[in-house]
C-alpha cells in the first residue's frame, strides 16, 4: 500500500541554521511528490513539487527538495532558517492516474529558536 | 492565482443540527475537489473526492450519508455535515485540482467546526 513516512515529529533549530526534513515514501509507480507547509489554524501552502526531470527542485521561501529514487526519499532543505518558518510541514505523494489522490505523511512540526 | 476559499472559516453548532461548508476555486476551474479532515496535531485524512456533475467517491470508513458532498459547478463544492455530533468537531479542509494542471491540488484555508 502507498504510504509516506516523516520520521521526525518535532524538530527545533536555531534561526540561521540549516534545515533538513526527511520524507520517505512507498509507492510502486513513479510518484508525484509534494511538500506543503501549514501555519497554525491555516490551510496548506504548496512549497514545491516534483513530477519528473531534474531531481533537485526549487520552491518558494528558499526551500528545495531532492528526489532520490534509490532511497525512496524526498527530503526538504533550507540553508538558513528564519523565525517565520516555524510551522507544520507535510510531505505528500500524489497517486498517478485516476484523480491523483494525495497521501500525506504525519507531518513534522518545526520550531525555530531566536 | 490558484486561490481556494472556504466558508465559513469557523462554525459552532448544536448537536443534531446540520452544517454546510463551501469550497470555491476563485480563479480556475476545478473538475475535481477533495475534502479532508484534520484532527489536532495530526495529518490530513482524505474523506472524499468530489467530481463536478457526478457522485462523490468516499474513502473507506467515511459515512456518505453523514457527510453529504455536492459539486454542482466547476468552481464550487459543498460538504454538509448532517446531524452533527461532538465527535464531528474537527478542521475540515478542501482542495481543488486545476482542470488543466491536474497534478497539483490547491488547498483552502480550512473550516473549524465545533459541535456542542
Amino acid at each position: 500500500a502507498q504510504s509516506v513516512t516523516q520520521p521526525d515529529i518535532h524538530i527545533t533549530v536555531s534561526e540561521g541554521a540549516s534545515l533538513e526534513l526527511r520524507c520517505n515514501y512507498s509507492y510502486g509507480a513513479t510518484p508525484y511528490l509534494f511538500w506543503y507547509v501549514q501555519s497554525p489554524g491555516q490551510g496548506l501552502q504548496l512549497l514545491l513539487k516534483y513530477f519528473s526531470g531534474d531531481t533537485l527542485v526549487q520552491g518558494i521561501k528558499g526551500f528545495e527538495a531532492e528526489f532520490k529514487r534509490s532511497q525512496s526519499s524526498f527530503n526538504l532543505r533550507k540553508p538558513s532558517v528564519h523565525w517565520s518558518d516555524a510551522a507544520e510541514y507535510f510531505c505528500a505523494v500524489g497517486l498517478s492516474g485516476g484523480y491523483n489522490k494525495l497521501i500525506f505523511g504525519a507531518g513534522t512540526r518545526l520550531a525555530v529558536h531566536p | 492565482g490558484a486561490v481556494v476559499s472556504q466558508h465559513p472559516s469557523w462554525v459552532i453548532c448544536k448537536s443534531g443540527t446540520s452544517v454546510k461548508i463551501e469550497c470555491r476555486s476563485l480563479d480556475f476551474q476545478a473538475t475535481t475537489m477533495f475534502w479532508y479532515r484534520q484532527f489536532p496535531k495530526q495529518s490530513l485524512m482524505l474523506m472524499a473526492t468530489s467530481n463536478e456533475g457526478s457522485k462523490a467517491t468516499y474513502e473507506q470508513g467515511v459515512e456518505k450519508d453523514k457527510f453529504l458532498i455536492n459539486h454542482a459547478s466547476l468552481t464550487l463544492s459543498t460538504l454538509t455535515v448532517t446531524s452533527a455530533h461532538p465527535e464531528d468537531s474537527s478542521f475540515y479542509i478542501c482542495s481543488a485540482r486545476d482542470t488543466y494542471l491536474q497534478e497539483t491540488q490547491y488547498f483552502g484555508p480550512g473550516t473549524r467546526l465545533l459541535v456542542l
Side-chain angles (χ1 to χ4, degrees):
Chain A
Q2 308 92 354
S3 66
V4 178
T5 302
Q6 292 181 247
D8 304 305
I9 298 175
H10 294 280
I11 283 185
T12 301
V13 299
S14 298
E15 191 170 17
S18 63
L19 172 70
E20 182 170 33
L21 303 182
R22 296 182 290 166
C23 173
N24 293 95
Y25 66 90
S26 173
Y27 184 51
T30 300
Y32 300 138
L33 295 163
F34 304 83
W35 274 100
Y36 288 89
V37 61
Q38 185 181 35
S39 297
Q42 303 296 313
L44 274 69
Q45 181 181 22
L46 179 66
L47 285 176
L48 46 77
K49 60 189 177 185
Y50 172 80
F51 295 159
S52 64
D54 192 346
T55 57
L56 183 64
V57 293
Q58 302 297 321
I60 63 172
K61 303 185 179 184
F63 285 93
E64 67 176 26
E66 186 171 13
F67 170 56
K68 292 185 178 180
R69 185 185 301 275
S70 61
Q71 299 177 18
S72 298
S73 69
F74 189 56
N75 294 346
L76 181 72
R77 301 193 294 250
K78 186 170 185 177
S80 178
V81 171
H82 188 263
W83 64 266
S84 60
D85 293 323
E88 186 93 22
Y89 291 80
F90 292 96
C91 179
V93 167
L95 308 184
S96 58
Y99 300 115
N100 300 126
K101 295 196 304 185
L102 290 180
I103 307 298
F104 282 87
T108 297
R109 184 168 297 277
L110 173 66
V112 180
H113 280 180
Chain B
V3 176
V4 176
S5 70
Q6 279 185 244
H7 178 79
S9 56
W10 60 270
V11 56
I12 302 173
C13 70
K14 293 181 179 180
S15 185
T17 61
S18 295
V19 174
K20 179 184 284 188
I21 302 170
E22 293 186 347
C23 177
R24 293 181 184 274
S25 58
L26 298 185
D27 50 3
F28 64 98
Q29 293 183 343
T31 308
T32 303
M33 292 183 174
F34 302 87
W35 287 96
Y36 296 84
R37 185 172 181 177
Q38 185 180 31
F39 291 102
K41 299 185 179 181
Q42 294 188 29
S43 189
L44 282 75
M45 299 300 296
L46 179 65
M47 299 174 64
T49 302
S50 165
N51 293 290
E52 185 267 336
S54 63
K55 291 183 179 180
T57 302
Y58 291 81
E59 295 299 302
Q60 191 172 10
V62 178
E63 300 176 60
K64 61 181 181 181
D65 295 329
K66 173 78 170 175
F67 299 99
L68 299 179
I69 292 173
N70 183 278
H71 192 158
S73 77
L74 287 172
T75 59
L76 173 64
S77 176
T78 60
L79 168 68
T80 301
V81 183
T82 62
S83 187
H85 291 284
E87 58 266 30
D88 299 323
S89 299
S90 191
F91 195 49
Y92 293 89
I93 302 175
C94 74
S95 70
R97 193 180 72 175
D98 190 315
T99 300
Y100 301 102
L101 297 172
Q102 296 192 4
E103 299 85 2
T104 302
Q105 294 182 29
Y106 300 97
F107 284 79
T111 295
R112 189 162 301 281
L113 170 63
L114 177 61
V115 184
L116 302 177

